[in-house]
Structures are given as structure tokens and as C-alpha cells.
Amino acid sequence: MSTTEQTAPLLEVRGLSIEAKGPDGPLVLTEGTDLTIRPGQTLGLVGESGSGKSMTGLAMLGVLPPSVRVRAGQVLLGGTDLIALPEKELRAVRGGRIGMVFQEPRRSLDPSFTVGDQVAETIRAHREVSRKQARNLAVELLDRVRIPDPGTRAGQYPHQFSGGMCQRVMLAVALAGEPEVLIADEPTTALDVTVQAAMLRLIKDLQEELNLGVLLITHDMGVVAEVCDDVAVMYAGQVAEVGPVRDVLSAPRHPYSAALRDATPDECRRGELLQAIPGQIPPPSAWPSGCRFHPRCSLAVDACREAAPDVLQLGRTRVRCARATENLTENSANNSTNNLTENSTNDSTENSTNNSAKNEGAGHGAR
Amino acid sequence: MALVELDRITKAFGRGRRRVQALRGISLTIARGETLALVGESGSGKSTLGRIALRLVEADEGTVRILDRPVRELSAKELRSARRDMQMIFQDPFGSLDPRMVIGELVAEPMTVHGIGADHDERLARAVELLERVGLDASAMERFPYEFSGGQLQRVAIARALATDPKFLVCDEPVAALDVSVRAQVLNLLTEVQRERGLACLFITHDLSLVRAVADRVAVIHHGAIVECGPAEEVYEHPRHPYTQALLSAVPGRDPDRRSLLARAAEQPAPQTRESTGCTFANRCPLVMERCWTDVPTPHVDAAASHEVEVACHHLDVHRQQALQ
């Protein structure tokens, strides 16, 4: 349920822009990102790789890679701007008020320490407790993330855990500092579907128990539909559309949101072609002028090529598309379905692949 | 007639206490022009089976026949020429394509190996044709893999696999590493070339949601045993084995009005620690009976049904018998 108006924001990202050092001066990676996370709510941040979604997550924690920095904007946690905070104070926040979980849990854990030690280490970094107390709290946390037999498991090493169990350990580490916000970057991407379902269930349960605000970074619209309250769709460093999940998925205003939703194969049958988005996401060095999605957009008109669209507030959704008010996306989605499904003869399908490949090539040539 | 026939394949890795039974007697057939999806979780043995089908790994027992030739009995020389007919596409194109070779050479290499084409120029000319078929233009010929995106490189991998004009193609998670939008492009391309050339295709994936779009038939593998096998549409719409049902119910839907994944996840029983010598799914099965722990279920088709779905499950057997009485 989206009850965005009622609760005060817990964490707010305002006008966040991130840039990287490039051979020809700074390269903008994301621009003007606004996001709001509320207690007990989950915000999904979706996009393809290269859209800037992970960088946004890292910037919020102040852990950007060395050659990347925040160019402008604020990350407000209860009124404090984390971007302006000195590293020493930020340390208390990171892993303290904000917990984090990443993809590939096995890489995030140190193979040479026991799982219990690693959870206890984080507890001691954020709370004034003795080693022994930390150790007991670690076992409690492992129990909380539903690891069976936590007393024994705490004394084991990461290699003795399966991928799903490692991710539970990471979640225990994230909860060790008693956070208000959890940032989870593709937490279930490397996991089997059945393990993913259990993991998402666990995050949801913990969220309810602790009233956590959750930022879930993912590329999977299915995961967003299942667990998020709000969703922000990112494309080429900008938020294309943000709003309640129900609104964005049932009536997407931005053609990219619609295309991303429709590219999931679950409703497609043998003999039909999947609804591919032609071309590929351009790298930051080759972002097109005007609307950044226009080369791949079936609805693009001259205006889209010439001017960058403004962000419009439509109902509960904010959308960056010049044609959003025309309410064309629904139609276009249907049209493209028809095109793709009817083109089952060889030459027309070949056309569509060639076109898409040309676009891919074009995106690349500009690199 | 089946182009590829796998008959009672078994394979174990390691020995003593570390011995892992990866495959427990798997039989499958794939006809010319047919795509069989092999679906399972990590560790189920699906990739091992794909490798055994191409004799990249030797099976412990059982036979693989391709075009009626038992692959195992081929001499090294015969195997080499047989390889022309069977090709593979891997998950990670950055790992499977040599970073020091240009795209043109990568696509021409299999032709050189198998002596296809009169000279190198002819092979390169054919490589251009293949690249164009997969939607890349001739300018790609002189470029290196690092200059391409994952989706484009997977197109190159497809062109390379098609270079020897194979009859059997094994695709091992070919789109797992790709972004959603590009994934659809590559799947469409694979489906097109498979149809054009009448390839028999073994499509290995962990993603059941892909199956209906790409496969004619689907085999669900769990801990080295096929638990359910039948027409993709039928299995997708009416999963019979409790494991297939569990797998399907774990696929997140895209309709926020019908959120049910989390409710379903809560219903899944916690795995039992008891060791099963019978059904491999016994410790996670919500319908487990005493017999499941001790007897290995055999796959069979429900004689009364119109579909051709083979299911290996004691629970369903009991139901069948009750229905007959």
C-alpha cells in the first residue's frame, strides 16, 4: 500500500548528481536524483546496468569508488546532510543508522573469520558492549535472520554457508547497528528463485518488526511488483519515473517504464516474440541530447530529440517525459505487442532484429 | 526421430565422503527442430548434463546418441568431426570469447578447425554473413570483445556457434548475465535461428519464466533427477510435481495487484534434516509421505490424461491409483 502522504520521510535524496573523473574532464554519471524513503516502506530503484542506480546507493552511504564523487545534492537523514558530514561522523551512520546489503554475499564476507565474529565486529563498532555481550548479540541476530541452530553456525566460516545463508548473515551484519534505513543493492540477484522468495520474505518481515525504511535496488520488475510500495525507474543517470508501484506498473507514464515492464518474459508463449527494447542503454559519455531515452523510444517525436523533458507531477507520479500528459504509453505498449506477435514470418522478424542491432551499433559507435 | 538421445546418464564427482551424485540416471530426447528447456536450481546438475551431452565431461554410466551415433564410442578423430554438429553457447560471453582475438577471427575459428571453406578469405566472408545474421555489421570484424556490450557479445557467440552449421546446440544460461531489455533481444534471436535451421536445442536455465517463450518442452531437474518433463505450456500452466509448483510459485509476478510471492514463500516448509534415499525432494516437499524417504519414484505418464507430462512423484501415483479405483 502506498501511503506516501502520511508518514514523514526518513531519508531524502535531493538533487543528487554524481560525476567520475574522465580523460576529458568530469563525466556525469547521475543527475538531479530525488528519492524519498519512509519508515516501514520500501522504495524500489530499478534500471538496467549502467543506469546509475548502484552509484546512487553508494553515494548515499558515502562509499563511492575513489575516482567518483558527488557533484551536487543532499542526502538528508533526519535533517542531517550526509554528503556534508565529515568522514568520522559518517562512519557512525554507515552501518549504524543505515545498514547495507550487497549482491554476492560471499564476497562481502571475510573467508578467514567466523560468521559470528563478523557480526560481533559490527556490533562492537556501533555499540558499547563487551566482546562476550557482542558475541551473544551476534547469535541473537543470526537467529533473527532465521538461521537455524545459530549458536553452532556462529562458530562456522563463510565457506560452510550456502549463498542464501551467506546473504542472511549479511543481513544480520546490516542489522547489527540497529539501523533505521536498509539499503539493499540487488540482494537476491545471484540466488535461486526459491531462495530469493524466502530472502524477500525475510526482509519484509524484519522491516515490519523494526519499522525499517528500505531502498531496494534491483533490475527485476517482478521483485518490485511483489515487495515495493514505491518505485523509481532510472535510465541513463536520471529518474525517468517515480511513484507508487501500483500506479507505475499498471499505468506507466514513461515509455521506458512500460517497456521495462513488458520485457519480462513470463506472459510470452512459444511462437511469440518477446517485447525487446531496441538498442541498448548508452554509456555516460554518449548520452543523447534531448530526452535520453529518445533513440530507443517508439513514441519519440522531434521535440524529444531537441529538448530535455521537464519533470511533471501527474497524480502521485513524477515523470520525465514530454509526452506523458498525452497518455500514449498504454496505446504504444499495445501497438508494440501487436507488431511483435504478428511478425512471426521470417523476413519481418529479421527486420526487427536488424533495426535493434542498428540501434545497438549506433549507441556503441558514439562511445 | 530423436536427434539427441540421453539414456540413463549418471555422474558422480569426488570420492569417499566428499562424493556427490550429480546425476542419477537421466533419460531425455530432443528432436530435430525442438527446444528442450532444462530447468533447475544451482547445483541441480543441469550444466553437467549439458556438458555430458557434448562429451565435454564423461558420464559414469549411460549413453549419449547424437544422430544415432553413440558419442562415447567415437574415437578422438571421429569425435572431432562430430563436434561440428554440436555447439555450445555459454553464460558469460566475456569469459567464453578470447579477448585477444578480433570478432572476425573468433567467428572464423571454428570453420578453420573443421576445415570449412576453401581458404581463410572465404571463411572471413562467411563470418561477415553470420555476423549480419545475428544483427551486427561487418565493421565488427576488426574489433575486439572489450569494445562490445554483453548483449552484442552474446550475438557474436551465437554467430560463432552457428559457424560450423551445427545440428545440436546447447545453450547454458545464455541470457542470465544480460539486462532485461537486451535479454529479450537475444532470446528472440536464438528462437529465430533455431527455427530457421531446424536445430535441436538444449536450453539450460534456472529461470522458469523464460521457458514458455523459448521451449517446446521442459524438463525440471532436481538434485540430478528429472522430476517432471512435458510440453512447456502444459507444465507452466499445470505444474504437477510439488517441486515444479514450488519453483513456479517463487517466480515474482509483475502485477502489484496480485502480490502473492511473499505469502507463498511463508508457506514453504522449512527443510527437514532427515536424509532421503528415495525422492530427492522429500526433505522440502509439503506432501511428503513415508514411502518418499525410501523409494525412488519412477517417472511416468498418466495414462488417462491427454497430455504427455511425465512426473516422478509417489504422491501423484497414489492419487492416480485412488482415481482408478
Side-chain angles (χ1 to χ4, degrees):
Chain A
M1 279 289 102
S2 194
T3 51
T4 27
E5 288 82 19
Q6 286 132 13
T7 44
L10 190 58
L11 184 72
E12 265 188 296
V13 176
R14 283 197 199 152
L16 184 70
S17 298
I18 302 170
E19 64 179 23
K21 273 185 211 154
D24 317 310
L27 192 62
V28 177
L29 301 182
T30 73
E31 239 175 18
T33 307
D34 294 321
L35 299 171
T36 306
I37 301 166
R38 291 167 204 279
Q41 304 255 309
T42 302
L43 170 68
L45 185 58
V46 274
E48 296 175 68
S49 42
S51 60
K53 58 188 194 304
S54 288
M55 282 298 166
T56 303
L58 295 179
M60 289 164 74
L61 296 160
V63 286
L64 286 169
S67 58
V68 180
R69 65 181 196 97
V70 171
R71 177 199 184 94
Q74 294 177 307
V75 175
L76 298 169
L77 178 66
T80 319
D81 183 9
L82 300 184
I83 303 292
L85 218 57
E87 173 63 24
K88 205 173 162 191
E89 286 172 53
L90 192 57
R91 270 196 168 190
V93 174
R94 194 190 295 145
R97 296 179 71 188
I98 306 181
M100 49 207 161
V101 180
F102 299 105
Q103 197 182 338
E104 294 197 61
R106 218 179 285 274
R107 249 192 234 174
S108 314
L109 290 167
D110 190 324
S112 48
F113 290 90
T114 66
V115 156
D117 283 346
Q118 297 187 53
V119 180
E121 182 193 7
T122 318
I123 294 172
R124 274 171 61 76
H126 294 280
R127 290 192 243 171
E128 298 280 322
V129 291
S130 70
R131 271 174 204 285
K132 192 156 179 228
Q133 280 171 316
R135 176 93 197 166
N136 292 336
L137 285 169
V139 174
E140 260 174 49
L141 274 172
L142 293 177
D143 188 40
R144 179 152 228 174
V145 296
R146 328 275 195 263
I147 291 180
D149 193 11
T152 316
R153 295 294 259 172
Q156 294 181 340
Y157 292 87
H159 77 265
Q160 292 166 291
F161 285 68
S162 66
M165 282 294 153
C166 276
Q167 196 57 290
R168 282 168 196 259
V169 173
M170 284 312 297
L171 199 53
V173 172
L175 297 177
E178 302 181 308
E180 298 154 55
V181 181
L182 179 71
I183 297 180
D185 188 355
E186 304 265 11
T188 59
T189 300
L191 305 178
D192 281 321
V193 278
T194 49
V195 183
Q196 163 172 290
M199 190 70 204
L200 293 172
R201 171 82 249 171
L202 175 63
I203 292 178
K204 205 77 196 162
D205 286 347
L206 292 168
Q207 174 175 42
E208 275 163 29
E209 284 167 34
L210 307 167
N211 203 30
L212 284 172
V214 177
L215 177 70
L216 183 70
I217 301 174
T218 177
H219 66 272
D220 189 338
M221 273 291 195
V223 169
V224 169
E226 291 276 3
V227 305
C228 295
D229 301 290
D230 294 308
V231 59
V233 180
M234 253 187 132
Y235 186 78
Q238 294 175 325
V239 174
E241 180 166 7
V242 56
V245 164
R246 202 168 293 261
D247 299 10
V248 173
L249 287 186
S250 58
R253 301 280 191 162
H254 198 291
Y256 180 64
S257 316
L260 206 54
R261 178 193 64 176
D262 296 335
T264 30
D266 51 350
E267 298 295 320
C268 184
R269 284 154 199 244
R270 186 73 169 150
E272 294 173 3
L273 285 178
L274 293 158
Q275 297 183 39
I277 309 174
Q280 61 186 347
I281 191 167
S285 55
W287 281 338
S289 60
C291 171
R292 289 184 188 161
F293 188 57
H294 86 254
R296 300 175 75 187
C297 183
S298 56
L299 297 169
V301 292
D302 285 344
C304 307
R305 285 172 206 110
E306 285 149 18
D310 293 326
V311 178
L312 303 170
Q313 179 83 41
L314 296 171
R316 293 185 292 175
T317 306
R318 269 183 296 135
V319 58
R320 197 186 288 269
C321 171
R323 305 195 69 190
T325 47
E326 298 173 50
N327 203 14
L328 292 164
T329 45
E330 201 67 0
N331 284 335
S332 86
N334 290 341
N335 283 343
S336 64
T337 324
N338 294 341
N339 285 342
L340 283 165
T341 47
E342 281 164 18
N343 289 349
S344 44
T345 54
N346 264 343
D347 36 2
S348 51
T349 52
E350 207 160 308
N351 270 338
S352 70
T353 352
N354 280 346
N355 283 342
S356 64
K358 250 177 236 154
N359 282 338
E360 258 189 45
H364 176 259
R367 201 182 276 187
Chain B
M1 190 205 73
L3 189 127
V4 180
E5 213 181 324
L6 303 176
D7 189 22
R8 284 164 289 170
I9 303 287
T10 66
K11 176 76 189 173
F13 292 105
R15 48 176 69 186
R17 281 180 58 203
R18 304 190 120 189
R19 187 181 152 94
V20 176
Q21 191 67 40
L23 298 173
R24 304 162 195 267
I26 288 193
S27 302
L28 287 173
T29 59
I30 309 171
R32 196 182 140 74
E34 181 183 59
T35 297
L36 173 72
L38 184 63
V39 183
E41 295 179 282
S42 44
S44 60
K46 56 188 194 299
S47 290
T48 302
L49 190 68
R51 279 152 200 265
I52 285 174
L54 298 180
R55 208 180 153 191
L56 298 175
V57 171
E58 293 278 359
D60 292 342
E61 292 162 49
T63 48
V64 178
R65 276 188 215 89
I66 293 177
L67 293 163
D68 254 349
R69 282 180 303 191
V71 173
R72 197 164 190 191
E73 285 157 32
L74 299 179
S75 68
K77 201 176 158 192
E78 288 168 324
L79 181 67
R80 188 171 245 243
S81 71
R83 283 260 152 82
R84 216 185 132 151
D85 293 329
M86 40 206 220
Q87 290 291 328
M88 185 151 182
I89 295 167
F90 297 90
Q91 175 173 347
D92 177 15
F94 293 95
S96 59
L97 298 174
D98 188 334
R100 294 170 305 176
M101 286 169 78
V102 293
I103 302 303
E105 294 297 334
L106 279 166
V107 177
E109 191 186 21
M111 294 185 257
T112 314
V113 169
H114 291 288
I116 299 167
D119 54 28
H120 201 59
D121 288 343
E122 193 180 323
R123 289 193 272 268
L124 289 178
R126 222 176 100 77
V128 173
E129 279 170 34
L130 286 162
L131 286 174
E132 278 169 359
R133 175 61 198 96
V134 299
L136 296 170
D137 59 57
S139 67
M141 292 286 287
E142 296 301 318
R143 304 218 300 244
F144 287 93
Y146 74 87
E147 299 178 62
F148 293 86
S149 68
Q152 290 171 321
L153 278 191
Q154 209 56 302
R155 291 174 188 272
V156 173
I158 294 170
R160 182 174 149 99
L162 296 178
T164 62
D165 205 8
K167 299 185 175 60
F168 176 41
L169 190 62
V170 175
C171 306
D172 192 354
E173 301 270 16
V175 296
L178 305 181
D179 268 319
V180 194
S181 68
V182 178
R183 179 181 299 182
Q185 297 170 5
V186 172
L187 286 174
N188 285 342
L189 174 64
L190 268 174
T191 306
E192 285 166 23
V193 297
Q194 186 260 334
R195 290 228 191 103
E196 265 169 35
R197 294 169 181 244
L199 297 174
C201 181
L202 179 65
F203 191 98
I204 299 169
T205 179
H206 69 279
D207 189 349
L208 248 173
S209 66
L210 295 180
V211 161
R212 199 159 53 154
V214 301
D216 302 294
R217 284 192 306 134
V218 55
V220 179
I221 183 170
H222 181 264
H223 274 263
I226 302 289
V227 297
E228 180 160 358
C229 181
E233 188 70 29
E234 182 66 27
V235 172
Y236 194 90
E237 289 292 339
H238 306 288
R240 288 168 176 82
H241 195 282
Y243 179 60
T244 317
Q245 291 171 354
L247 265 187
L248 264 174
S249 72
V251 176
R254 54 178 169 169
D255 183 353
D257 289 326
R258 282 193 318 203
R259 289 182 182 197
S260 48
L261 176 67
L262 299 183
R264 293 189 305 255
E267 285 162 16
Q268 290 297 321
Q272 300 185 45
T273 45
R274 183 174 166 186
E275 197 86 5
S276 170
T277 53
C279 177
T280 53
F281 190 56
N283 67 340
R284 280 168 66 192
C285 184
L287 304 174
V288 66
M289 306 178 298
E290 198 45 45
R291 193 178 154 198
C292 303
W293 296 101
T294 49
D295 297 356
V296 178
T298 48
H300 38 191
V301 181
D302 186 351
S306 55
H307 56 79
E308 283 170 40
V309 182
E310 277 193 326
V311 187
C313 176
H314 291 308
H315 189 80
L316 292 175
D317 290 349
V318 171
H319 266 252
R320 259 176 226 146
Q321 277 155 16
Q322 282 170 349
L324 287 176
Q325 276 157 15

